[in-house]
Amino acid sequence: MTQLKDKYGRVIDYIRIAVTDKCNLRCFYCMPNEGIDFVKQDKLMSYEELLRTAHILSKMGISKVRITGGEPFLRKNIMYFIKQLSMIEGINKIAITTNGTQTLNHLDELISYGVKSYNLSIDSIDKDRFFDITRRDYFEKVWNCFEEMSKRDVNLKLNAVVIKDRNIEDLNPMVGLTKEKDISVRFIEEMPFNGTGANYQKLEWDYKKILSHIESHYGKATKLQDEKNSTSLNYQIPGHKGSFGIIPAYSRTFCGTCNRLRLTPKGIIKTCLYDEGIFNIRDLIRAEATDEQIKEAVIEAVGQKYKDGFEAEAKRTKSPNVTESMTTIGG
Ligand code: SAM
Ligand code: SF4
């Protein structure tokens, strides 16, 4: 089997595909209330283009795909795409990141396609704080989705961005959910990808502060062995069935083991969350590039992968400050 390797010896075997930039929530750290300049239909990677890309990448050693967005379940016929993706030889794992507002309707079908890994984003377990952060009234739906998913035989992770003055009260109760449920609750450091760059001050709630906040309530947490390529530092409160993790997305301590590529809704391949995009695979496909030419472009992009997110950010030229919305990149 071919392996995609960067110049630091990191094997790239995972791609996160943002299938849409549209969303029915407006999490303030991700997107302005009025939305963004959403990708027009003819500029969006079509399912055929995405599947061809996945086929080519699967032959280059990419075996894991995460479907993200925007909100993946807002894209029309998304289940068609997931079904086709699940049939590609070499794609061994499909994971989904979702806001949980539309997910439940599809759960049985997803499980039947072998999709067993779900990251469900929920920044607060309090209805009012949830509304304050997401600016939309969907708490009950998301909570119901969580309850149902936690009863199924799936690998469920809850994602919460930790935001000063907005959801600090939720941290300990969310860790409390792991007492009886075998789930992982992951706290993400806030990043400046909010669509404007505005209102982003230096990060106060970094991974160290998050951990110390939790430990000051629960006592010393047991450090768990992190999986290879894990983005989270993982812990368990003694006696709890589940675990919690902290994702130092802004402090970027995990870049040394990065195994990821990203594909944006417009077809831009990114080798780092913080880069400006390396090349556009949709344009190559529309210019009738052969599989070989596409492979070469991917190999070249991976060859240029930055050492870490700090280098990628420093090398930005078009827009030196990170201001894009996470919905255009995929989390
Ligand atoms: N809509 C889906 C969801 O919310 O799960 C998938 C896309 S969303 C962009 C993916 C993840 O990125 C979510 O867990 C979200 O909380 C996270 N995210 C978005 N903007 C962020 C930011 N500025 N800093 C840190 N995480 C962010
Ligand atoms: Fe939508 Fe997810 Fe962004 Fe929230 S984080 S606005 S749910 S894409």
Side-chain angles (χ1 to χ4, degrees):
M1 162 64 75
T2 331
Q3 272 193 335
L4 253 182
K5 243 189 213 174
D6 73 4
K7 61 177 182 253
Y8 300 100
R10 293 173 294 197
V11 175
I12 310 300
D13 58 6
Y14 175 21
I15 187 161
R16 300 192 187 205
I17 302 180
V19 291
T20 179
D21 56 357
K22 299 219 171 76
C23 191
N24 53 348
L25 301 188
R26 286 290 181 276
C27 307
F28 79 91
Y29 53 73
C30 178
M31 210 188 332
N33 198 22
E34 64 278 16
I36 54 163
D37 189 9
F38 294 108
V39 181
K40 306 276 174 300
Q41 190 63 27
D42 62 326
K43 298 276 189 287
L44 196 63
M45 285 279 280
S46 69
Y47 288 144
E48 284 60 37
E49 289 165 343
L50 285 174
L51 291 168
R52 177 162 173 219
T53 302
H55 261 289
I56 295 172
L57 293 177
S58 71
K59 295 203 185 86
M60 303 177 77
I62 299 282
S63 59
K64 176 175 173 187
V65 178
R66 174 170 301 280
I67 299 169
T68 177
E71 176 48 36
F73 294 100
L74 289 193
R75 181 145 177 196
K76 219 168 147 199
N77 294 333
I78 186 68
M79 295 305 287
Y80 159 81
F81 171 65
I82 298 174
K83 183 176 182 187
Q84 298 300 316
L85 187 66
S86 72
M87 293 194 289
I88 296 179
E89 203 187 317
I91 303 291
N92 303 328
K93 185 168 180 185
I94 299 176
I96 297 184
T97 303
T98 175
N99 67 21
T101 58
Q102 323 272 316
T103 321
L104 212 44
N105 298 340
H106 303 291
L107 192 57
D108 290 329
E109 196 179 342
L110 286 165
I111 293 173
S112 77
Y113 300 151
V115 182
K116 293 273 201 118
S117 295
Y118 298 88
N119 288 1
L120 176 64
S121 301
I122 178 165
D123 296 318
S124 174
I125 54 175
D126 172 84
K127 190 175 188 299
D128 294 335
R129 282 197 294 274
F130 180 92
F131 181 82
D132 175 53
I133 294 168
T134 64
R135 300 160 166 147
R136 295 294 185 269
D137 192 11
Y138 273 109
F139 178 76
E140 264 99 12
K141 266 207 148 162
V142 178
W143 184 255
N144 185 33
C145 180
F146 161 61
E147 298 257 35
E148 285 302 316
M149 283 180 117
S150 65
K151 291 179 200 152
R152 308 298 184 91
D153 180 22
V154 296
N155 176 4
L156 179 59
K157 294 176 178 162
L158 296 190
N159 278 355
V161 179
V162 176
I163 323 146
K164 185 183 174 195
D165 300 333
R166 300 282 191 125
N167 65 353
I168 304 306
E169 307 88 316
D170 286 287
L171 267 53
N172 291 326
M174 287 186 82
V175 171
L177 297 174
T178 68
K179 188 167 184 349
E180 298 300 338
K181 290 188 193 290
D182 184 12
I183 55 166
S184 168
V185 175
R186 287 126 40 96
F187 300 109
I188 310 175
E189 284 181 354
E190 186 186 355
M191 297 179 281
F193 295 100
N194 58 27
T196 61
N199 303 327
Y200 191 85
Q201 298 112 14
K202 198 179 162 306
L203 185 72
E204 181 181 324
W205 280 86
D206 66 2
Y207 66 104
K208 293 182 196 147
K209 186 159 174 167
I210 297 169
L211 180 62
S212 107
H213 179 82
I214 294 168
E215 289 191 323
S216 67
H217 179 80
Y218 286 100
K220 183 107 188 104
T222 309
K223 178 79 189 73
L224 302 177
Q225 175 77 43
D226 299 324
E227 278 172 28
K228 190 171 150 253
N229 311 118
S230 171
T231 52
S232 53
L233 303 161
N234 298 292
Y235 302 86
Q236 190 166 39
I237 302 299
H240 283 206
K241 288 191 181 136
S243 59
F244 73 93
I246 306 175
I247 305 185
Y250 189 70
S251 306
R252 287 161 258 186
T253 57
F254 47 62
C255 301
T257 56
C258 182
N259 63 341
R260 292 171 283 282
L261 289 179
R262 287 186 154 78
L263 178 57
T264 74
K266 291 194 223 185
I268 297 169
I269 289 277
K270 288 166 71 76
T271 59
C272 175
L273 192 52
Y274 288 84
D275 74 29
E276 282 179 313
I278 310 297
F279 76 100
N280 191 311
I281 206 161
R282 177 205 63 197
D283 290 349
L284 269 186
I285 293 175
R286 293 187 188 178
E288 297 184 3
T290 62
D291 286 7
E292 248 349 279
Q293 287 167 326
I294 293 171
K295 272 187 190 170
E296 276 164 28
V298 172
I299 291 169
E300 198 182 321
V302 168
Q304 292 170 24
K305 186 169 162 67
Y306 298 108
K307 183 165 175 282
D308 55 32
F310 294 104
E311 189 189 5
E313 191 175 4
K315 290 275 164 70
R316 292 168 68 100
T317 52
K318 286 175 254 161
S319 51
N321 294 324
V322 169
T323 56
E324 52 273 46
S325 164
M326 194 67 128
T327 195
T328 64
I329 307 174

